[in-house]
Amino acid sequence: MANHQQLVDIVDDIELAEIQRISFNSSFRHNNSSTRRSSRKVNEHDDDPDVQYALQWAAIQRLPTFERLTTSLFDEDSGNTKKLVDVSKLDALDRRTFVEKLIKHIENDNLALLRKVRNRIDRVGLQLPTIEVRYENVFIEADCKVVHGKPLPTLWNSIRTSLDVFEKLPGVKSQRAKLSIINGVSGVLKPGRMTLLLGPPGCGKTSFLKALSGNLCKSLKVNGKISYNGYKLEEFVPQKSSAYISQDDLHIPEMTVRETLDFSAYCQGVGSHADIIGEIMKREKEAGIVPDPDIDAYMKAISANGKKGAIQTDYIIKVISKKDQAQYWFPEQPHSYVTVDMFCRQFKESSVGTMVEDDLSKPYDKSKGHKDALSFDVYSFSKWELFKACMSREFLLAKRNYHIYISKSAQIVFVAVVTMTVFLHSRLPIDVVHSNSYMSVLFFGLLIAVADGIPELSLTVHRLPGFYKQKDLYFYPAWAYAIPSAIVKIPLSFVQTFVWTCLTYYVIGFSPGASRFFKQFLLLFSVHLSSISMFRLLAALCQNVTAALTAGSFAVLAVLVFASMPGWLKWAFWVNPVSYAEIGFSENEFLAPRWQKKSSLNTTTIGDQVLQARGLDFDENLLWICVGALFAFALLLNVMYTLTLTFMKFRSSSRVISQAKLSHFQGSKISQAKTQLQETTKIPSQEKTGTNTGKMVLPFQPLTIAFQNVQYYIDTPVEFVNEVLETIELDLILLKNGGRVIYSGPLGQHSSRVVEYFEQIPKWWIWLYYMSPTSWVINGMLNSQYGDINDKMSAFGETKSVAEFLQDYYGFHHDRLPITAVLLILFPLALASLFSYFIGHLNFQRR
């Protein structure tokens, strides 16, 4: 290649020719001759690649400022020539090819790349932003709950911890203690240096680093002064100026490493990189410096803001692929124990400690700090850009979790097929008696819509730790996460409810009008939205799966119970979304023309009788009010979900300490150091003598307990057995009918109509009974407890033994109890085998 001065001369000639060509003040003859002279000089070097590069670089210099910051020279497909390319619009293949070209051998090329970038910056004399961190007399304290015994997460300790609020009352003794984690630490972290923090486990390294980075938990109290370039932590945004990387980081497992890094780069932006590259190009133009095209393209690519796919991601993935941790391992050498106090005292007396004290005694001059060294803006992009980034990620996760939604849709289809074949149109006449069946299937569809939102609990809880991490690092505000997570579920709700309505509506035989079909679908869709919004809110409030499932079960029970309440609880009826759905479903069906026939025994229509009997006789216009109320419930629940994510902090594990350990910490530090020194010197002596080889020193006294032939039982009177059987019978009747009472009264000959009702269920679904583990559990429980009892009892107006009643009514035979036991053993084995098979052969992460 030609030397640097020759390239500069060529560029100057090209720019001179360009200026003369466009100048209107010069004469035509002078302009023409100047252009010919410069053209002859350029044509002499047309075949020289350096000349081509100079021409292209001159074209870049003539571009407007914004385009000049994103335009660079990029290799053609052949690799021999270069072309002008907007580096902010490189596709994934171009980015990876470019990084592979820059770093072919990680051992040498990575360092060479970094040195070339540094040399380009130093050549123009640009000073990069730097940060000096100072910490003076930093103290960190933890507020711990003191318990008697072992500080384990037992039920009693959890209950006592939850009652801490009452300790603030006057006269109540506090059971809390302050534990010191960091004691008066001071120092300076100079820019351009790598600082190594060493210490034994549990000495406070993590707490100290989090305090310096501004990410310390709010429950820990920090005293002292921490400053960045003379600014206190509350005067800027430390989360955007520094980062603490935990050894156990939190990420979304459905996203690949590349997608995780791309999203992080998109949310955090490039900071002052664009200003830096602009200043470099300005100084290079003034000094007549032509940069290396690959280095220019790389620096401009990492300065491109607002890209979903960043070249930094390809660079990081390329560099971290090297397994080079072994070079940092220290060879095994004998060592001696040094206490913390001894180490701190010797450090302060050393020359390094004295130098640190001298640095801290001189205040930092803020005028020396770079304006772009610290971040004073909470978010890197506008609210709309952050919303688009989160929305794009939600669509990606929905696509990545397609198997969950396919399985849910398959469940909906299966249950719908079972329901429509049980309640066939030809089997359900239009009369008061069979209106129970229509009402039951309406209520069952409503129950399916409510229960289908339960999986939202685990899906939401699963993502909360990653959300709170990114929220605390100011990736995006809470609403930018909450709104897209709610929007992306709307099409799924639409599809599932539409599938259910299409499969069941006309097959079951609801009112055939098209308008009533779409009204039922709209009601079901709004109920489903309200359901998933409610469970999403509960997950955000509980923040763990166990508590969320408990709260979700209680919520399902509450909405079903409050759907029909006495007069003094009417307020609960009107604040329940299921109530509005029940009103809407009933009004839509039983106010149809086919239900307006009058029965021979009553002057009111059949539809009015059905609605009046259930307290649902409202005006038909209330249906649209119910639809609006359900959508309002969904909106309100999502607003509450957003507010919960905004103002509620992620619950960390409670800090609990035993009384014995607290006393140990509050003891003499000198005696503690002596005890530790004795213990550390005792262990090597045991190793030398060969005693206790391969054994572990346990921090507790091991005990052994043995027992044999322990039996526990209670005598059960015959009268109690009869009462239990009657109670079980009544409970099963209520459960089989889905909560709708079709008979009430004492057991006798008239209650046999209950059995006749269940005979309407088609025989082709009997196989489903035998495929259900619950059926065999009930079989085993009743058979094992009552199958061999021959005492007489009265049931349905007949007197027979308990064993005969189980055989006649339930079909449970005591002599087949071993078969039941074998099947109950096979069910978990079969499910476990299927789980093992599918976990080994199905790969949902595969693209």
Side-chain angles (χ1 to χ4, degrees):
M1 294 180 64
N3 57 30
H4 174 72
Q5 186 60 40
Q6 183 180 0
L7 285 177
V8 173
D9 293 340
I10 294 174
V11 173
D12 291 340
D13 288 338
I14 295 173
E15 291 182 346
L16 178 60
E18 184 67 20
I19 294 173
Q20 292 172 342
R21 185 180 63 83
I22 62 175
S23 176
F24 291 98
N25 296 327
S26 302
S27 64
F28 175 79
R29 181 177 300 174
H30 179 71
N31 184 22
N32 191 24
S33 61
S34 299
T35 306
R36 285 198 301 268
R37 286 198 304 269
S38 60
S39 299
R40 281 197 305 270
K41 192 170 183 178
V42 171
N43 289 335
E44 294 174 358
H45 304 278
D46 280 346
D47 297 331
D48 192 339
D50 294 331
V51 175
Q52 296 297 327
Y53 173 48
L55 290 170
Q56 293 171 323
W57 183 253
I60 293 177
Q61 295 287 7
R62 293 193 299 270
L63 293 174
T65 303
F66 178 77
E67 295 182 14
R68 190 165 64 247
L69 294 178
T70 58
T71 304
S72 187
L73 297 178
F74 213 72
D75 289 340
E76 294 274 8
D77 295 336
S78 60
N80 297 325
T81 59
K82 293 184 178 294
K83 60 180 178 179
L84 295 181
V85 173
D86 187 348
V87 294
S88 64
K89 299 179 181 180
L90 295 176
D91 57 21
L93 180 60
D94 290 336
R95 293 197 306 269
R96 296 178 192 178
T97 304
F98 182 58
V99 172
E100 289 292 336
K101 175 188 175 184
L102 292 176
I103 307 177
K104 294 181 180 179
H105 305 285
I106 300 177
E107 293 80 1
N108 302 319
D109 294 345
N110 181 40
L111 180 59
L113 173 64
L114 297 178
R115 284 177 175 173
K116 289 179 180 178
V117 173
R118 184 69 188 188
N119 291 337
R120 185 186 182 189
I121 297 174
D122 294 340
R123 189 186 303 173
V124 297
L126 182 63
Q127 185 68 30
L128 293 178
T130 58
I131 297 178
E132 180 178 296
V133 181
R134 296 190 174 200
Y135 48 96
E136 302 179 45
N137 298 323
V138 174
F139 294 83
I140 302 179
E141 289 184 343
D143 188 17
C144 299
K145 176 71 176 179
V146 181
V147 298
H148 296 279
K150 297 292 183 181
L152 300 176
T154 60
L155 180 61
W156 173 243
N157 288 340
S158 300
I159 294 176
R160 292 191 61 183
T161 303
S162 62
L163 299 177
D164 288 347
V165 64
F166 297 104
E167 294 183 357
K168 299 180 181 180
L169 298 177
V172 180
K173 185 179 179 180
S174 176
Q175 297 292 329
R176 308 193 71 86
K178 302 284 187 181
L179 288 183
S180 179
I181 301 177
I182 300 295
N183 293 316
V185 178
S186 300
V188 180
L189 301 181
K190 294 287 186 178
R193 293 183 181 178
M194 179 180 292
T195 303
L196 177 63
L197 179 62
L198 293 176
C203 68
K205 299 187 297 296
T206 299
S207 299
F208 177 62
L209 292 177
K210 286 186 174 181
L212 293 183
S213 61
N215 294 313
L216 192 63
C217 180
K218 301 299 182 182
S219 61
L220 296 178
K221 185 178 180 182
V222 181
N223 291 321
K225 181 181 179 181
I226 301 175
S227 62
Y228 283 48
N229 288 354
Y231 290 91
K232 297 180 181 179
L233 293 180
E234 57 270 15
E235 296 177 348
F236 66 104
V237 185
Q239 291 83 359
K240 306 293 289 187
S241 304
S242 63
Y244 170 76
I245 308 300
S246 173
Q247 56 188 359
D248 297 320
D249 212 350
L250 299 172
H251 298 292
I252 299 176
E254 290 84 1
M255 297 177 67
T256 63
V257 175
R258 185 180 301 277
E259 291 165 350
T260 301
L261 293 175
D262 281 341
F263 180 78
S264 176
Y266 189 86
C267 290
Q268 296 188 93
V270 296
S272 59
H273 287 187
D275 297 334
I276 292 175
I277 192 65
E279 182 65 23
I280 291 175
M281 294 185 65
K282 176 183 176 182
R283 296 189 181 189
E284 286 177 340
K285 185 176 181 180
E286 294 174 351
I289 298 175
V290 179
D292 184 287
D294 292 336
I295 300 301
D296 180 70
Y298 172 74
M299 296 183 67
K300 289 179 178 178
I302 64 174
S303 304
N305 219 341
K307 284 182 58 61
K308 296 182 180 179
I311 200 169
Q312 300 99 307
T313 302
D314 299 271
Y315 170 75
I316 293 173
I317 293 177
K318 177 68 176 179
V319 173
I320 64 176
S321 61
K322 180 184 177 183
K323 308 296 188 298
D324 60 347
Q325 293 299 313
Q327 63 175 308
Y328 302 108
W329 299 347
F330 196 80
E332 295 185 2
Q333 293 182 2
H335 62 278
S336 59
Y337 178 78
V338 179
T339 64
V340 176
D341 293 338
M342 186 185 305
F343 184 86
C344 294
R345 185 174 62 255
Q346 292 180 357
F347 174 78
K348 291 180 180 179
E349 294 173 357
S350 65
S351 59
V352 178
T354 305
M355 183 177 61
V356 171
E357 291 183 359
D358 293 340
D359 290 339
L360 292 175
S361 62
K362 303 174 183 178
Y364 184 85
D365 187 4
K366 290 185 178 181
S367 61
K368 296 181 179 179
H370 198 283
K371 63 181 182 65
D372 295 324
L374 303 178
S375 177
F376 295 89
D377 296 325
V378 177
Y379 301 108
S380 301
F381 290 99
S382 64
K383 297 178 180 179
W384 175 245
E385 291 295 331
L386 293 175
F387 174 79
K388 289 195 301 182
C390 293
M391 195 71 199
S392 176
R393 184 181 64 170
E394 290 300 324
F395 280 119
L396 172 66
L397 293 175
K399 182 177 65 174
R400 200 60 54 77
N401 291 325
Y402 71 95
H403 58 280
I404 297 178
Y405 306 113
I406 290 178
S407 62
K408 288 180 62 178
S409 301
Q411 293 175 2
I412 290 290
V413 171
F414 176 76
V415 177
V417 170
V418 174
T419 305
M420 70 186 187
T421 53
V422 170
F423 299 93
L424 285 175
H425 175 67
S426 59
R427 302 169 62 91
L428 299 177
I430 305 300
D431 53 34
V432 177
V433 176
H434 291 88
S435 64
N436 292 326
S437 299
Y438 284 100
M439 187 64 75
S440 297
V441 73
L442 286 173
F443 186 80
F444 181 70
L446 173 60
L447 183 62
I448 291 296
V450 173
D452 193 60
I454 294 179
E456 193 70 19
L457 289 171
S458 58
L459 292 175
T460 303
V461 170
H462 177 67
R463 293 185 54 189
L464 283 180
F467 157 74
Y468 277 105
K469 168 205 165 184
Q470 295 176 344
K471 174 197 168 189
D472 293 339
L473 294 177
Y474 297 109
F475 276 35
Y476 45 77
W479 62 265
Y481 168 84
I483 295 177
S485 63
I487 292 177
V488 78
K489 299 299 175 62
I490 294 178
L492 301 173
S493 297
F494 183 91
V495 171
Q496 292 179 357
T497 53
F498 188 74
V499 168
W500 173 273
T501 308
C502 290
L503 291 177
T504 60
Y505 191 86
Y506 288 107
V507 177
I508 291 176
F510 290 115
S511 298
S515 62
R516 298 189 181 274
F517 168 85
F518 286 106
K519 287 178 183 178
Q520 187 178 117
F521 160 69
L522 191 60
L523 285 166
L524 203 63
F525 172 60
S526 58
V527 170
H528 195 274
L529 277 182
S530 301
S531 173
I532 61 176
S533 302
M534 177 183 67
F535 289 115
R536 194 183 299 121
L537 171 62
L538 292 176
L541 291 171
C542 298
Q543 296 186 354
N544 68 81
V545 176
T546 304
L549 289 175
T550 304
S553 302
F554 178 79
V556 172
L557 177 64
V559 297
L560 295 181
V561 169
F562 288 131
S564 179
M565 298 301 296
W568 59 279
L569 279 178
K570 282 296 183 184
W571 62 270
F573 176 86
W574 292 111
V575 297
N576 182 10
V578 174
S579 302
Y580 292 93
E582 192 176 23
I583 294 173
F585 281 130
S586 303
E587 299 290 327
N588 183 56
E589 173 61 27
F590 293 102
L591 292 182
R594 66 174 186 169
W595 291 95
Q596 301 308 309
K597 298 183 297 183
K598 295 183 179 180
S599 62
S600 58
L601 301 177
N602 203 321
T603 57
T604 59
T605 62
I606 298 176
D608 291 338
Q609 294 179 41
V610 174
L611 295 177
Q612 291 173 5
R614 291 162 177 78
L616 300 174
D617 50 332
F618 299 98
D619 187 80
E620 187 174 9
N621 295 327
L622 190 63
L623 185 144
W624 294 109
I625 298 178
C626 295
V627 173
L630 288 171
F631 281 112
F633 271 113
L635 179 62
L636 175 62
L637 292 170
N638 280 296
V639 170
M640 295 174 64
Y641 170 65
T642 305
L643 295 177
T644 301
L645 295 181
T646 303
F647 298 104
M648 193 171 181
K649 302 296 182 180
F650 189 70
R651 297 192 189 97
S652 58
S653 58
S654 59
R655 294 173 174 83
V656 182
I657 188 173
S658 64
Q659 183 67 47
K661 195 148 191 173
L662 178 63
S663 302
H664 175 71
F665 283 152
Q666 293 176 344
S668 174
K669 294 184 178 180
I670 299 178
S671 62
Q672 180 183 2
K674 290 181 178 180
T675 303
Q676 294 175 347
L677 184 59
Q678 292 174 359
E679 291 179 353
T680 53
T681 56
K682 183 179 179 181
I683 294 176
S685 63
Q686 293 178 351
E687 294 178 352
K688 292 178 181 180
T689 57
T691 59
N692 296 330
T693 303
K695 296 183 179 180
M696 179 184 295
V697 179
L698 298 177
F700 55 85
Q701 177 78 20
L703 301 175
T704 304
I705 184 172
F707 53 89
Q708 184 178 6
N709 296 330
V710 177
Q711 298 182 2
Y712 175 80
Y713 64 93
I714 57 174
D715 294 330
T716 306
V718 178
E719 295 80 4
F720 177 75
V721 173
N722 294 334
E723 294 177 2
V724 170
L725 285 175
E726 294 174 2
T727 305
I728 292 176
E729 172 65 20
L730 291 177
D731 288 342
L732 288 175
I733 289 173
L734 292 176
L735 289 175
K736 285 180 179 178
N737 202 2
R740 294 295 176 184
V741 179
I742 59 174
Y743 174 80
S744 61
L747 291 175
Q749 58 182 357
H750 298 292
S751 60
S752 61
R753 296 177 182 174
V754 177
V755 181
E756 296 176 358
Y757 171 80
F758 289 105
E759 291 178 352
Q760 297 178 6
I761 299 178
K763 300 300 182 182
W764 54 75
W765 286 118
I766 295 299
W767 64 271
L768 188 59
Y769 167 84
Y770 292 107
M771 292 293 294
S772 174
T774 306
S775 306
W776 294 102
V777 170
I778 297 175
N779 188 327
M781 290 176 58
L782 295 181
N783 247 334
S784 61
Q785 298 296 320
Y786 310 112
D788 57 347
I789 298 178
N790 295 319
D791 297 328
K792 301 296 182 181
M793 62 171 292
S794 177
F796 301 124
E798 300 179 2
T799 301
K800 57 180 68 177
S801 66
V802 176
E804 292 174 346
F805 174 78
L806 290 178
Q807 293 180 13
D808 297 341
Y809 188 71
Y810 294 105
F812 296 162
H813 298 270
H814 188 265
D815 56 349
R816 301 176 186 172
L817 190 59
I819 300 177
T820 303
V822 171
L823 289 173
L824 289 177
I825 294 175
L826 290 178
F827 269 115
L829 292 177
L831 294 175
S833 301
L834 290 174
F835 172 77
S836 302
Y837 176 81
F838 290 139
I839 210 70
H841 292 78
L842 297 182
N843 183 13
F844 294 110
Q845 294 291 337
R846 184 173 53 202
R847 298 187 178 183

